[in-house]
Amino acid sequence: MPFLPEHPRFKGITLPPSGWVLAILLATYIFTGLIGHDPWKHDDAVSIGVAYDMVVNGNWLIPQLAGNPYPDAPLYYWTSAITAHLFSWLMPLHDAARLSSGIFTLLALEFILLAARELHGRENAAAAPLILAGSIGFLFHAHEAQPMLAALTAHTAAYWALTLLPRRPALATLAFGAAIALGFLANGLLPVLTLLPVTMYTLWQSGTRRICALLVTIAIALALFLSALWLLPLRMASPYFFSIFLQSELDSLTKSVSFFSNTLRYLNLLLWYAWPALPLAAWALWSKRRILRSRPMALPIFSFLSVLLILGLSVEVRSSAALLLLPPLVLLAVPGVATLRRGAANAFDWFGMMTFTFLMTVVWIVWSAMVFGWPRQLARQAVRLEPGFVGHFSLMAVSVSMLATMIWFWLIITSPRSPMRGIMHWMAGLTVFWLLIVALWMPWIDYGKSYRPLSASLAKKLPEKFDCIANANLPDSILASLDYFDGIRTVSLKDAAGKKCHWLLVQGEARDLTSALSANWHEIWEGRRHGDRSENDWFHLYRRAAK
C-alpha cells in the first residue's frame, strides 16, 4: 500500500500466516459467537432441540424433536449431543451443543487447506482457509447449530481425497469412503448426489482409469458399510421412521422448481454470500484462461458447475445449501490471490482495511449509544428496535474488544508486502469485526432473538396439570424452543389426539382456523418476542370452554 512504510518499524507477522499465528486467528474466528446466547430461530433452535432430546431422553437411534420423530440424518445431532454431554457442566447445554459446529468448521478449514495443497502447491495453499473463512455467508452458518456444516466438511474431505488419489491411493480411498459416509449421515442424499459428478470427472481424467475406478468402488463400499451401521438398526427398530426418512430425502430432491430462476437466485445469493471468493475465482479464470483444462483449474470449475446445476434443479434457494458451492469456488480462487496485479491487490487490500475499520467504528459508536445513551438518536433507535432493553457496561467485554481493535491496527500497519496480504487483512478484519459484534452487541441481539421470555410467559399461564396442547401452525424452531426452555410440548391439531386437547397454541392470525375456533375457544394469553411487531409473529393461547 502506498500509504504504509515499505519496512515497518515494528515487525509484524509473516505471510502467508502459519504456526501459532494462523492457529490463534482461526480459533478466534471459529469459537467467537458459538457460546453466550440462547437458541435462535430456524436451524439453530431445531438442531439444539434434537440434540437436547438425545441427551435427556436417549433417542440416539431415532432423532426426535419435542416428542415427535424428526426424519433427518443423525450425525450432526450425535456430535452436538456428545459435546453437550461433555461440556454442559461448564456452560449451558445449548452452548455446549453448538461446539460441534466449531469442530466441523475446523475440520472443513483443514481439509480445504489440504486439498489446495494438492492442487496448487504448498506456497499458495494457505490462502484456501483464509478465503473460506472470509466468505460472508460461511461466517453466519459457522456460528450456529447447522447440520450442513458436517456436509461441508464431507465435501472438503472428498475434494482432498480426489486430489490425493494419484499420489497416495490407499489413504485417498479411505478418506473418500469416509467422506461419502459422513456426507450421507450428516445431511442425507444431497451431499452424496452433488459429489457424484466430480467423482466421475476425476475417473475420466485419470491416466489409470481402471485402477482409480476400482479404488472408488472400494471407497463407495466403505461408505455403504459405514452408513449401514445406522440404517440397518434403524430399519429393525422402526420400519416406519426408516420409510419416512427415505421418503423425505426423495421428496426434498424432487421438488418442482423452476431451474432457470432457481439457478439465478443461487448466483445472485453468491454475490454477497461468497465474497471475496467469487471475485478472486473470476480473476483466476481470466488470468489462467489458457490452462483451464489443467487439473488444478478444471476440477473446481467442473465441481462448481455440477453442484450449481443440481441445486438449481432440485433444491429451493436456501442459504445453508449454498455452503456446498463454497469449496470448489475457494479452490478455484486460490491461484487468483497469487496472480492479482499489484494495483488490484492494493485496491483489494485498501478496501478490506477501510471497510472493516469503518465497521468497527460503527460497532463502538452503537455500543456507546446502547450503554451510555450517546449518541441520543442511535440510543432511541436501539430501544425502538428492542423495546425494554437496558444496556450494561461489561469490563471484560470492553477489555477484549479494545485489545482486538488494537491488534487490528497493529496488523494493518506492520504486515509485510505479500500477495497474501489482502486476503489476510480481509479475514482478520472480518474476525475482529465479528468479535466486536459478539462482545459488545450480543446482549442486545440475544434480547430480541431469544424465545426464553416468551416461553416463560406462556408457562405461567398454563396450569400445573392439563391434558395436552394442540398446535395449529407452529414451525419446528418454536416447538424446539418451547420444549427446551420450559418442557412445553404440543400435539398437532391434525392428529386425532390433538383434536381432543383443551388447549390450542397458534402463531399469527387465528381467523383462518375456522374449524378449530368454531368449537368455542377463548383466548387467554398472547405474547411475542420483544422486537417482533408483525401480527404473524404473535402467539395466541386458547382454551376450550367446558360443555
Side-chain angles (χ1 to χ4, degrees), residues 36-108:
H37 64 85
D38 282 337
W40 291 344
K41 204 173 182 180
H42 304 306
D43 291 342
D44 190 61
V46 172
S47 301
I48 291 174
V50 176
Y52 169 74
D53 185 86
M54 288 182 176
V55 173
V56 175
N57 300 314
N59 295 313
W60 293 81
L61 184 61
I62 304 174
Q64 294 195 15
L65 178 66
N68 299 308
Y70 189 72
D72 199 4
L75 180 63
Y76 180 86
Y77 309 120
W78 288 342
T79 311
S80 295
I82 291 172
T83 58
H85 179 73
L86 292 176
F87 298 104
S88 57
W89 62 273
L90 182 63
M91 60 188 71
L93 186 143
H94 56 268
D95 284 342
R98 215 180 278 117
L99 291 178
S100 62
S101 291
I103 295 173
F104 285 116
T105 299
L106 180 62
L107 290 174

Side-chain angles (χ1 to χ4, degrees), residues 501-539:
C501 293
H502 288 77
W503 299 83
L504 175 65
L505 185 61
V506 178
Q507 182 182 16
E509 298 182 6
R511 57 173 173 260
D512 295 333
L513 305 172
T514 54
S515 60
L517 298 181
S518 62
N520 199 16
W521 294 90
H522 298 286
E523 184 177 4
I524 63 171
W525 172 87
E526 65 177 11
R528 60 178 175 86
R529 291 188 299 181
H530 300 291
D532 292 335
R533 292 174 178 79
S534 171
E535 176 61 29
N536 293 328
D537 295 323
W538 282 81
F539 294 85

Side-chain angles (χ1 to χ4, degrees), residues 131-165:
I131 297 172
L132 179 59
S135 298
I136 298 174
F138 182 67
L139 173 73
F140 293 106
H141 292 304
H143 298 93
E144 66 174 354
Q146 176 55 256
M148 191 60 77
L149 289 172
L152 175 70
T153 301
H155 267 227
T156 54
Y159 291 133
W160 170 58
L162 291 175
T163 58
L164 188 66
L165 193 61

Side-chain angles (χ1 to χ4, degrees), residues 157-279:
Y159 291 133
W160 170 58
L162 291 175
T163 58
L164 188 66
L165 193 61
R167 191 168 65 87
R168 300 187 63 182
L171 177 60
T173 300
L174 294 176
F176 188 68
I180 293 292
L182 173 65
F184 175 75
L185 293 174
N187 214 261
L189 294 175
L190 178 63
V192 178
L193 181 63
T194 46
L195 282 175
L196 289 180
V198 69
T199 304
M200 300 304 295
Y201 177 80
T202 302
L203 294 179
W204 178 65
Q205 286 286 88
S206 173
T208 55
R209 295 179 185 176
R210 290 185 178 181
I211 297 177
C212 287
L214 176 62
L215 295 176
V216 169
T217 302
I218 296 174
I220 294 175
L222 175 62
L224 291 174
F225 171 75
L226 295 175
S227 302
L229 294 179
W230 173 63
L231 289 175
L232 289 181
L234 178 66
R235 176 68 175 82
M236 296 173 62
S238 178
Y240 172 73
F241 184 90
F242 179 82
S243 63
I244 63 173
F245 167 72
L246 294 182
Q247 189 61 46
S248 65
E249 287 298 313
L250 293 175
D251 291 343
S252 66
L253 296 176
T254 55
K255 291 182 179 179
S256 178
V257 296
S258 174
F259 168 71
F260 182 74
S261 60
N262 203 46
T263 304
L264 285 181
R265 291 190 185 99
Y266 271 110
L267 291 174
N268 185 58
L269 175 68
L270 290 178
L271 292 178
W272 67 268
Y273 189 94
W275 182 275
L278 188 63

Side-chain angles (χ1 to χ4, degrees), residues 266-505:
Y266 271 110
L267 291 174
N268 185 58
L269 175 68
L270 290 178
L271 292 178
W272 67 268
Y273 189 94
W275 182 275
L278 188 63
L280 289 173
W283 170 251
L285 283 174
W286 174 256
S287 61
K288 303 285 187 179
R289 59 189 181 275
R290 295 182 180 179
I291 55 171
L292 291 182
R293 294 185 179 182
S294 64
R295 181 166 171 263
M297 299 297 294
L299 188 143
I301 291 173
F302 183 84
S303 178
F304 174 78
L305 293 177
S306 61
V307 174
L308 179 65
L309 175 64
I310 293 172
L311 293 181
L313 280 172
S314 58
V315 182
E316 293 180 351
V317 176
R318 298 200 315 265
S319 177
S320 59
L323 283 173
L324 300 182
L325 290 167
L326 290 181
L329 203 58
V330 169
L331 292 176
L332 184 59
V334 167
V337 174
T339 58
L340 272 179
R341 295 175 181 175
R342 185 170 182 176
N346 287 341
F348 176 48
D349 192 17
W350 172 275
F351 177 73
M353 289 190 293
M354 296 302 294
T355 296
F356 288 113
T357 301
F358 171 75
L359 292 177
M360 293 173 201
T361 304
V362 171
V363 172
W364 278 107
I365 293 175
V366 175
W367 169 81
S368 174
M370 291 189 292
V371 174
F372 301 112
W374 182 90
R376 292 184 179 180
Q377 187 173 359
L378 281 177
R380 288 194 297 267
Q381 183 71 4
V383 174
R384 187 185 71 83
L385 293 175
E386 304 295 349
F389 174 78
V390 178
H392 297 282
F393 181 86
S394 171
L395 180 60
M396 176 63 72
V398 172
S399 300
V400 171
S401 300
M402 290 185 65
L403 177 62
T405 305
M406 289 188 292
I407 291 175
W408 165 246
F409 284 109
W410 168 81
L411 180 66
I412 63 177
I413 291 174
T414 62
S415 294
R417 290 190 179 276
S418 168
M420 203 75 69
R421 186 167 68 175
I423 189 61
M424 175 63 186
H425 283 168
W426 178 272
M427 193 271 180
L430 184 66
T431 301
V432 175
F433 169 66
W434 176 243
L435 189 149
L436 295 186
I437 289 288
V438 170
L440 302 179
W441 286 19
M442 187 57 76
W444 180 78
I445 298 173
D446 194 39
Y447 178 84
K449 286 186 172 292
S450 174
Y451 281 95
R452 186 186 297 270
L454 173 74
S455 180
S457 175
L458 173 61
K460 290 180 181 179
K461 284 296 181 180
L462 294 171
E464 292 185 4
K465 295 183 179 180
F466 56 92
D467 55 349
C468 60
I469 305 174
N471 82 79
N473 56 355
L474 298 185
D476 288 339
S477 59
I478 304 302
L479 299 178
S481 298
L482 297 178
D483 180 42
Y484 177 73
F485 289 126
D486 292 286
I488 300 174
R489 291 188 170 184
T490 62
V491 183
S492 175
L493 187 60
K494 298 178 181 179
D495 297 341
K499 295 178 181 178
K500 298 178 181 179
C501 293
H502 288 77
W503 299 83
L504 175 65
L505 185 61

